[in-house]
Amino acid sequence: MQETSLTPSAAKPSRLGWFDDVLLLGIMAVLAGCGLIYEYLLSHYAGRILGALEAAIYTMIGLMIVSMGLGAFAARKIRDAFTGFVILELTVALCGSLAILITAAVIGFGQQLPLIIANTLGLPPDQLPEGGMIGSLQKLSEYLPYVWGVLLGLMIGMEIPLIARVRQSLSDEHLLHNAGTIYGADYIGAGIGAAIWVGFMLAIDIQLAAALTASFNLLAGFVFIGRFWPKIRRPKLLLTGHFIVTGILLVLAIHGPRWEQEFNNLLYKDKVVYAKATRFQQLTFTERLRGNGLPPVYALYINGRLQFSSIDEHIYHAFLVHPTLAASARHSKVLIIGGGDGLGLKQVLRWEPEQVTLLDLDVGLVQLFKSPDTDMPERLSRAMLTLNGNALNDPRVTVINDDAFNGVDKLIATGVKYDAIIVDLPDPSHPDLNKLYSDYFYRKLKELMSSDGALTVQSTSPYHAPKAFISVAKTLALAGFDVKQYHHNVPSFGEWGWSIATAGGLDAQHRLAKLTELPIKDDWLTLGLVDGAFEFPANFYKDAAKIKPNELGSLQLYHYHLQDWSENQGLNLF
């Protein structure tokens, strides 16, 4: 927040009535809530479309706070606080409502530009003009949300000084407590805005949320014009502008979500056939037609990152599930953490367990793969239920929608023990996910596992993120497990790895080596592939002693993951 310089008006101010005072403070509280929501909207959009949600949030909030400070200083240059405030809210409403849509259009067009040029010039598909100026334009477009953040921050920062000057000009008795009273309304309004974001706006389309937020800025302008008409220059013109922007907001609220999604769809090489925003993440399904009687290839992206492709998901899930259960003495009770799409669950059910518990935070994701939405294309619904074998509706399956870190505590309290545990969580690319790869979390899982059971954790790519991969194993070892690691190529992901752990007896590799055949017949997985998966290049673990385990609160694995993927893939995760 910013200090404001309050210069008494030359003319003797009139006494400020209680109605006007409450009105101004109410407006300030509403605008504070809007300002906070704009921060969340822009950072959330940047994170969902471009990845690295936590980095986007921290960067956006920091930029907007600095910009608000600069805006507070800039407000001194506005001579007429009454007219300036009305113009300001009109501009904030317009920019706030259009920021997401324009950003989506620019980023989507930037991704399509190489294809447009190639088609225009008749270039073959393997000679798309990428890199150079086009690559620079694509990279710059990713920073557009932050440009909007700075612009909106500058304008939001002007609001408190202008309201303070309006109050002062109406009554000098508020001079002493002017700033404190306004800041109080500002803080309370920001808190209410945060509650509205968490409780309501997270569950609706982001462009609709932007239009709704902008409508309150516009409403503040309408109320201000109506109450202080005589003190505003050219009020009729400004009122007309407010009505025009009202029409724009109505159009954006009705059609904006569809337009924004169409622009977002340009980011994917395959055709986007369905998209849905849950409370926690953005889900995008793509379809690639192959012809020649071959079924389409469907893929799921979460926050812009590939989660699975129907063409090879069976490889990933076979390596995730079957070595785990083959290394376990029994298969009666199995716990799956993550895996809300039910694809791993399908493989687990092939072992005929008596009971399977699936713990996944996102009820929206699980429900989509359990009973697809009616607005999902029928062919996609059939394909998803075929992929997971309708496993989520199996009577042996109990689904618990809870945060894994807290959810396992509730399971521990029941005294239940599982014969096998499969941890199928996203990579630790977020501080909140990092704790689910910590020594403390693995100690919790050890309490849930039978002494002769096995536990497997998906452990990112040993090729692209070797330090992160090895750190997972060292963390499991720190928690008291005997750990082995294995890997295999999954074409959609590249080389991928898993860590398999036991709490007593032989380690998993030696248990599997005793088998003469896999208990489950699989179209891809063989015992020879399982045995060979434990082999790594001769120098792979040469620097393992330098790699640290991921102790709770250290964020060690999170930093390894970001560093590895950035260095080995050239990715900008920020």
Side-chain angles (χ1 to χ4, degrees), residues 243-316:
F243 279 118
I244 292 173
V245 174
T246 298
I248 294 173
L249 291 185
L250 286 173
V251 172
L252 291 176
I254 296 171
H255 300 289
R258 176 173 56 85
W259 293 341
E260 181 234 335
Q261 188 59 57
E262 289 174 355
F263 288 135
N264 290 341
N265 293 349
L266 298 176
L267 297 174
Y268 301 92
K269 291 183 179 180
D270 294 335
K271 180 183 178 182
V272 174
V273 291
Y274 187 72
K276 178 179 180 178
T278 71
R279 181 177 177 81
F280 301 102
Q281 49 204 0
Q282 175 71 33
L283 310 178
T284 303
F285 293 85
T286 64
E287 178 186 59
R288 182 169 76 249
L289 302 178
R290 295 188 289 174
N292 298 322
L294 296 172
V297 176
Y298 292 101
L300 168 65
Y301 293 82
I302 295 182
N303 294 343
R305 295 179 176 178
L306 179 66
Q307 297 303 299
F308 71 78
S309 172
S310 62
I311 200 170
D312 56 18
E313 61 80 18
H314 63 282
I315 301 175
Y316 170 86

Side-chain angles (χ1 to χ4, degrees), residues 142-163:
E142 296 178 3
Y143 293 95
L144 191 54
Y146 303 120
V147 174
W148 285 111
V150 170
L151 181 61
L152 283 168
L154 287 170
M155 292 188 287
I156 292 169
M158 296 180 185
E159 290 172 341
I160 288 180
L162 291 179
I163 287 287

Side-chain angles (χ1 to χ4, degrees), residues 317-371:
H317 289 102
F319 272 89
L320 173 72
V321 171
H322 299 318
T324 316
L325 294 180
S328 302
R330 293 174 303 279
H331 320 108
S332 297
K333 291 185 178 181
V334 180
L335 172 64
I336 302 175
I337 298 177
D341 50 32
L343 299 176
L345 175 61
K346 173 186 176 181
Q347 300 295 337
V348 169
L349 291 176
R350 294 176 61 192
W351 289 79
E352 297 297 332
E354 295 176 5
Q355 176 187 343
V356 182
T357 301
L358 188 145
L359 177 60
D360 193 290
L361 174 65
D362 194 345
V363 62
L365 170 66
V366 173
Q367 192 60 38
L368 201 61
F369 282 88
K370 184 177 182 179
S371 177

Side-chain angles (χ1 to χ4, degrees), residues 132-209:
M133 182 179 294
I134 292 177
S136 298
L137 289 174
Q138 290 175 335
K139 184 58 62 178
L140 286 173
S141 69
E142 296 178 3
Y143 293 95
L144 191 54
Y146 303 120
V147 174
W148 285 111
V150 170
L151 181 61
L152 283 168
L154 287 170
M155 292 188 287
I156 292 169
M158 296 180 185
E159 290 172 341
I160 288 180
L162 291 179
I163 287 287
R165 285 168 54 187
V166 167
R167 289 185 81 224
Q168 179 185 325
S169 68
L170 293 173
S171 176
D172 58 359
E173 71 181 30
H174 287 274
L175 180 60
L176 181 61
H177 302 292
N178 195 1
T181 307
I182 290 179
Y183 290 144
D186 181 66
Y187 297 144
I188 293 172
I192 294 173
I196 292 173
W197 169 258
V198 172
F200 171 64
M201 289 192 169
L202 266 175
I204 66 175
D205 183 89
I206 197 167
Q207 176 57 46
L208 176 60

Side-chain angles (χ1 to χ4, degrees), residues 21-249:
D21 203 22
V22 170
L23 179 66
L24 290 174
L25 293 177
I27 288 175
M28 192 65 255
V30 169
L31 298 184
C34 291
L36 194 72
I37 291 174
Y38 285 133
E39 290 181 14
Y40 290 157
L41 279 170
L42 290 170
S43 58
H44 207 67
Y45 177 79
R48 283 192 168 187
I49 298 301
L50 305 174
L53 179 60
E54 75 293 336
I57 291 174
Y58 303 152
T59 303
M60 185 66 70
I61 291 177
L63 283 174
M64 290 192 71
I65 287 175
V66 172
S67 301
M68 287 165 63
L70 296 175
F73 285 114
R76 298 178 179 181
K77 300 296 182 180
I78 299 177
R79 296 182 179 180
D80 184 349
F82 289 90
T83 306
F85 180 82
V86 175
I87 296 174
L88 181 67
E89 293 313 303
L90 185 64
T91 309
V92 170
L94 193 60
C95 292
S97 62
L98 289 172
I100 299 295
L101 191 62
I102 292 176
T103 301
V106 171
I107 294 176
F109 175 76
Q111 295 298 316
Q112 288 295 306
L113 185 57
L115 186 60
I116 294 172
I117 295 175
N119 290 338
T120 302
L121 300 178
L123 299 177
D126 61 346
Q127 294 185 15
L128 291 180
E130 297 177 328
M133 182 179 294
I134 292 177
S136 298
L137 289 174
Q138 290 175 335
K139 184 58 62 178
L140 286 173
S141 69
E142 296 178 3
Y143 293 95
L144 191 54
Y146 303 120
V147 174
W148 285 111
V150 170
L151 181 61
L152 283 168
L154 287 170
M155 292 188 287
I156 292 169
M158 296 180 185
E159 290 172 341
I160 288 180
L162 291 179
I163 287 287
R165 285 168 54 187
V166 167
R167 289 185 81 224
Q168 179 185 325
S169 68
L170 293 173
S171 176
D172 58 359
E173 71 181 30
H174 287 274
L175 180 60
L176 181 61
H177 302 292
N178 195 1
T181 307
I182 290 179
Y183 290 144
D186 181 66
Y187 297 144
I188 293 172
I192 294 173
I196 292 173
W197 169 258
V198 172
F200 171 64
M201 289 192 169
L202 266 175
I204 66 175
D205 183 89
I206 197 167
Q207 176 57 46
L208 176 60
L212 289 175
T213 304
S215 68
F216 283 94
N217 289 101
L218 203 62
L219 179 62
F222 271 120
V223 171
F224 203 86
I225 291 173
R227 185 66 187 92
F228 303 112
W229 181 281
K231 296 179 178 294
I232 298 171
R233 290 182 294 174
R234 298 183 178 178
K236 292 182 179 179
L237 179 61
L238 291 174
L239 187 62
T240 301
H242 276 63
F243 279 118
I244 292 173
V245 174
T246 298
I248 294 173
L249 291 185

